């Protein structure tokens, strides 16, 4: 039921940090390969995936047939008019590795507030990278920048932290996941010097070879499933460092947890 993904470790972070129930109506901002969206569809009552790239969304329409509770919507989430029909419709919201590609972070958090029902919760996670090698267009220098954006949108942030794999999970990830991935990447042609990193999924090498990967999906996903099960065998795979929230952002995976207040 899942599309092939390179290494869906972010799904473990979502499941560990965001309580999901079978009654939840969830949405994901920026569906990318669709792997996380499909996983949410197996856990929640209904799921909507919002994606700015029409080619990406169309390539993943087969997921709607496989999951009757899943719908994919082509929309720029910073466009309030586009989100109006979905306002207040979700009890849980997820955005993984999307915020760094959004040129208007204020618009992004307004979208979160628009889509969530009162009392609903959200999880946003993204890599905050040094300017010299950031692959997105947005980064933050301090956690207060995120709190202000969320607060201005009418959201309450309950936690900001850096997420790192536990030593046990990291050792397995390095040997069973990252090394195989780096080997595959080394076999294909490098991006020409000066070419900007892709900002939408449709521009990635993975997307361009999606039909090939889809044929291999059962084997790929069975392998990753085994790796993830092994990583989580000793409990949670991620450690969240709250001390990081009091320091300037440097180079880490940031996790923002919060909620939309039940009343203004």
């Amino acid at each position: 039921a899942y599309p092939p993904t390179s290494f869906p470790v972010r799904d473990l972070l979502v499941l560990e940090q965001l309580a999901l129930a079978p009654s939840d109506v969830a949405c994901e901002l920026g569906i990318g390969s669709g792997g996380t969206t499909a996983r949410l569809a197996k856990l929640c009552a209904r799921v909507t995936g919002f994606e700015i790239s029409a080619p990406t969304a169309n390539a993943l329409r087969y997921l709607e047939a496989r999951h009757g509770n899943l719908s994919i919507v082509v929309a720029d989430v910073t466009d309030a008019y586009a989100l109006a029909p979905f306002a207040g419709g979700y009890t849980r919201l997820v955005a993984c590795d999307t915020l760094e590609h959004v040129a208007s972070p204020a618009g992004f958090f307004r979208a979160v507030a628009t889509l969530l029902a009162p009392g609903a919760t959200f999880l946003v996670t993204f890599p905050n990278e040094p300017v010299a090698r950031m692959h997105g267009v947005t980064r933050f220098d301090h956690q207060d920048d995120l709190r202000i954006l969320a607060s201005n949108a009418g959201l309450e942030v309950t936690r900001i932290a850096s997420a790192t794999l536990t030593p046990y999970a990291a050792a397995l990830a390095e040997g069973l996941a990252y090394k195989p991935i780096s080997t595959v990447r080394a076999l294909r042609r490098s991006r020409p010097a000066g070419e900007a990193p892709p900002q939408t999924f449709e521009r990635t090498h993975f997307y361009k070879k999606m039909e090939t990967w889809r044929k291999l999906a059962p084997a790929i996903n069975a392998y990753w499933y085994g790796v993830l099960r092994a990583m989580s065998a000793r409990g949670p795979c991620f450690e969240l460092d709250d001390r990081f929230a009091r320091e300037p952002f440097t180079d880490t995976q940031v996790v923002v947890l919060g909620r939309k207040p039940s009343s203004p």
Side-chain angles (χ1 to χ4, degrees), residues 65-83:
R66 291 187 179 182
H67 302 278
N69 62 337
L70 169 64
S71 59
I72 298 173
V73 176
V74 178
D76 178 351
V77 298
T78 63
D79 181 351
Y81 180 80
L83 296 187

Side-chain angles (χ1 to χ4, degrees), residues 46-88:
R46 287 190 291 113
V47 175
T48 304
F50 292 95
E51 173 59 46
I52 194 172
S53 165
T56 295
N58 291 334
L60 296 171
R61 291 292 179 197
Y62 72 95
L63 290 175
E64 295 176 315
R66 291 187 179 182
H67 302 278
N69 62 337
L70 169 64
S71 59
I72 298 173
V73 176
V74 178
D76 178 351
V77 298
T78 63
D79 181 351
Y81 180 80
L83 296 187
F86 308 94

Side-chain angles (χ1 to χ4, degrees), residues 2-3 19-20 42 51 64-65 76 111 122 137 142 174 178 180 188 236 241 255-256 260 264:
Y2 300 120
L20 294 169
K42 297 197 72 173
E51 173 59 46
E64 295 176 315
D76 178 351
F122 68 88
V137 296
H142 198 275
E174 178 62 31
Y178 298 135
R188 66 175 200 250
D241 185 359
V255 177
V256 185
K260 183 175 180 177

Side-chain angles (χ1 to χ4, degrees), residues 105-118:
F108 175 90
F109 280 102
R110 285 195 296 269
V112 174
T114 295
L115 293 168
L116 288 178

Side-chain angles (χ1 to χ4, degrees), residues 65-164:
R66 291 187 179 182
H67 302 278
N69 62 337
L70 169 64
S71 59
I72 298 173
V73 176
V74 178
D76 178 351
V77 298
T78 63
D79 181 351
Y81 180 80
L83 296 187
F86 308 94
Y90 302 95
T91 60
R92 299 288 184 268
L93 181 147
V94 174
C96 298
D97 301 341
T98 296
L99 179 55
E100 74 273 22
H101 299 293
V102 178
S104 173
F108 175 90
F109 280 102
R110 285 195 296 269
V112 174
T114 295
L115 293 168
L116 288 178
T121 57
F122 68 88
L123 179 150
V124 173
T125 180
F126 64 96
N128 202 64
E129 300 165 316
V131 174
R133 63 177 182 81
M134 59 188 287
H135 75 286
V137 296
T138 291
R139 67 178 304 279
F140 300 89
D141 291 320
H142 198 275
Q143 58 97 6
D144 285 345
D145 300 332
L146 282 162
R147 290 188 183 276
I148 291 171
L149 287 170
S151 178
N152 288 344
L155 298 167
E156 176 188 336
V157 172
T158 57
R159 191 175 193 185
I160 298 178
S162 63
T164 56

Side-chain angles (χ1 to χ4, degrees), residues 144-233:
D144 285 345
D145 300 332
L146 282 162
R147 290 188 183 276
I148 291 171
L149 287 170
S151 178
N152 288 344
L155 298 167
E156 176 188 336
V157 172
T158 57
R159 191 175 193 185
I160 298 178
S162 63
T164 56
L165 288 169
T166 64
Y168 172 78
L172 289 180
E174 178 62 31
L176 300 177
Y178 298 135
K179 283 186 178 179
I181 291 173
S182 62
T183 299
V184 171
R185 288 175 176 170
L187 293 176
R188 66 175 200 250
R189 187 173 58 184
S190 301
R191 186 169 59 241
E195 181 179 329
Q199 295 302 310
T200 57
F201 185 67
E202 68 180 276
R203 301 182 69 85
T204 64
H205 177 83
F206 186 93
Y207 175 85
K208 295 173 183 176
K209 299 293 183 181
M210 182 175 285
E211 288 306 315
T212 299
W213 293 121
R214 189 177 296 172
K215 295 174 184 177
L216 301 173
I220 293 173
N221 290 334
Y223 179 78
W224 292 138
Y225 177 77
V227 174
L228 296 177
R229 283 293 298 269
M231 289 173 60
S232 59

